[in-house]
């Protein structure tokens, strides 16, 4: 199993541009999550999904959108990039409800200039 | 929602010494407590976890203790090695929130040879 795969690994955007961060997992996990990690800080939840067709907001959803059309894929969309969205973005997945380990991807380092 | 506090934010120890990182949580319904290690530029990786029906769990040089009454849990690393240097995050799972984890802000552990 490849686990959780994120693309791209690095990206530089100009203010106002849009992009989609891709995340796919091959572990048949129902639960998927998007976090952002600012320098020297912990992980803040942006959006999460408990299954195909179901998504919900986390702590910091403003400026982002998600979709979950399949079990495997959970893309994160930035519509109008702002400097405050410069961060490292991690996608994660877990098997089921009830407290299960979350498996993280390698992250996408995004800079907005 | 749940609030997880983690201390200290930085910790320096000599190789061979022990290191202890402490976390408190606010919601007595939380029932799953994982610890993640994040090396510089890498993904967070699960190193140990504990559930609320257990008071202590060990895995070689790593142990976690849980005090449900006081709502705190701790990570203990014995015989520290330079490769233990990393940022460590604690997290709490609140049973009713469909797998969502609440993370502490992290502890930068440095082990000096």
């Amino acid at each position: 199993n490849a686990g959780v795969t994120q693309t791209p690994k690095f990206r530089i955007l100009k203010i106002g541009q849009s992009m989609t961060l891709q995340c796919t997992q091959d572990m048949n996990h129902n639960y998927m999550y998007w976090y952002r990690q600012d320098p020297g800080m912990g992980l803040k939840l942006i959006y999460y999904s408990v299954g195909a067709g179901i998504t919900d907001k986390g702590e910091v959803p403003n400026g982002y959108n998600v979709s979950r059309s399949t079990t495997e894929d959970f893309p994160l969309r930035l519509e109008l990039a702002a400097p405050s969205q410069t961060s490292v973005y991690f996608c994660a997945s877990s098997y089921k409800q009830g407290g299960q380990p979350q498996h993280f991807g390698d992250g996408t380092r995004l800079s907005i200039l | 929602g749940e609030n997880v506090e983690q201390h200290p934010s930085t910790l320096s120890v000599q190789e061979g010494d022990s290191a202890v990182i402490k976390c408190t949580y606010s919601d007595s319904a939380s029932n799953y407590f994982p610890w993640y290690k994040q090396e510089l530029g890498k993904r967070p990786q699960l190193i140990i976890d504990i559930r609320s029906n257990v008071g202590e769990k060990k895995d070689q040089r790593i142990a976690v203790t849980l005090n449900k009454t006081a709502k705190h849990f701790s990570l203990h690393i014995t015989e520290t090695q330079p490769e233990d240097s990393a940022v460590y995050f604690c997290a709490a799972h609140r049973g009713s929130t469909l797998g969502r984890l609440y993370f502490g802000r992290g502890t930068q552990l440095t082990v000096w040879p």
Side-chain angles (χ1 to χ4, degrees):
Chain A
N1 288 348
V4 179
T5 302
Q6 290 183 238
T7 57
K9 295 190 184 302
F10 305 94
R11 184 72 185 269
I12 298 174
L13 282 182
K14 294 183 179 178
I15 295 171
Q17 286 186 321
S18 301
M19 78 162 293
T20 299
L21 281 65
Q22 301 291 344
C23 175
T24 188
Q25 52 90 11
D26 62 358
M27 296 174 284
N28 201 31
H29 284 173
N30 289 330
Y31 293 74
M32 296 188 75
Y33 313 85
W34 273 106
Y35 295 92
R36 60 176 287 173
Q37 185 177 35
D38 298 328
M41 302 292 286
L43 295 153
K44 294 184 179 179
L45 184 66
I46 306 171
Y47 270 95
Y48 65 104
S49 170
V50 301
I54 306 170
T55 62
D56 207 350
K57 296 177 180 178
E59 303 168 71
V60 290
N62 291 346
Y64 307 95
N65 279 302
V66 293
S67 60
R68 184 93 182 273
S69 57
T70 67
T71 299
E72 295 78 19
D73 300 309
F74 190 40
L76 178 71
R77 178 88 178 154
L78 282 72
E79 290 294 347
L80 292 171
S84 61
Q85 294 177 305
T86 293
S87 190
V88 179
Y89 292 83
F90 287 100
C91 179
S93 71
S94 66
Y95 179 49
K96 61 182 180 181
Q97 182 183 358
Q100 296 292 328
Q102 290 188 10
H103 301 264
F104 285 81
D106 285 331
T108 294
R109 189 174 298 274
L110 181 64
S111 295
I112 315 295
L113 304 176
Chain B
E2 173 66 280
N3 182 42
V4 178
E5 301 277 348
Q6 183 172 347
H7 299 280
S9 57
T10 61
L11 179 60
S12 292
V13 299
Q14 201 75 32
E15 182 178 2
D17 288 349
S18 295
V20 181
I21 303 170
K22 299 181 180 181
C23 289
T24 61
Y25 60 98
S26 60
D27 191 339
S28 56
S30 289
N31 56 12
Y32 172 66
F33 307 92
W35 285 88
Y36 287 83
K37 175 183 179 182
Q38 186 178 29
E39 297 176 357
L40 189 62
K42 300 288 184 64
R43 71 175 80 180
Q45 291 195 298
L46 179 76
I47 55 172
I48 195 167
D49 56 9
I50 191 168
R51 301 187 187 279
S52 58
N53 59 348
V54 175
E56 183 176 4
K57 184 176 178 181
K58 289 183 179 180
D59 183 2
Q60 299 183 332
R61 297 186 296 109
I62 294 173
V64 57
T65 58
L66 171 65
N67 183 326
K68 288 189 294 182
T69 303
K71 289 189 282 189
H72 68 72
F73 56 111
S74 300
L75 178 70
H76 305 254
I77 305 174
T78 58
E79 301 173 18
T80 54
Q81 302 167 2
E83 50 265 39
D84 294 329
S85 296
V87 178
Y88 291 81
F89 292 98
C90 64
H93 169 259
R94 190 169 165 226
S96 63
T97 54
L98 301 175
R100 178 175 171 173
L101 288 176
Y102 294 81
F103 284 87
R105 293 184 60 168
T107 296
Q108 172 68 61
L109 172 65
T110 303
V111 181
W112 299 100

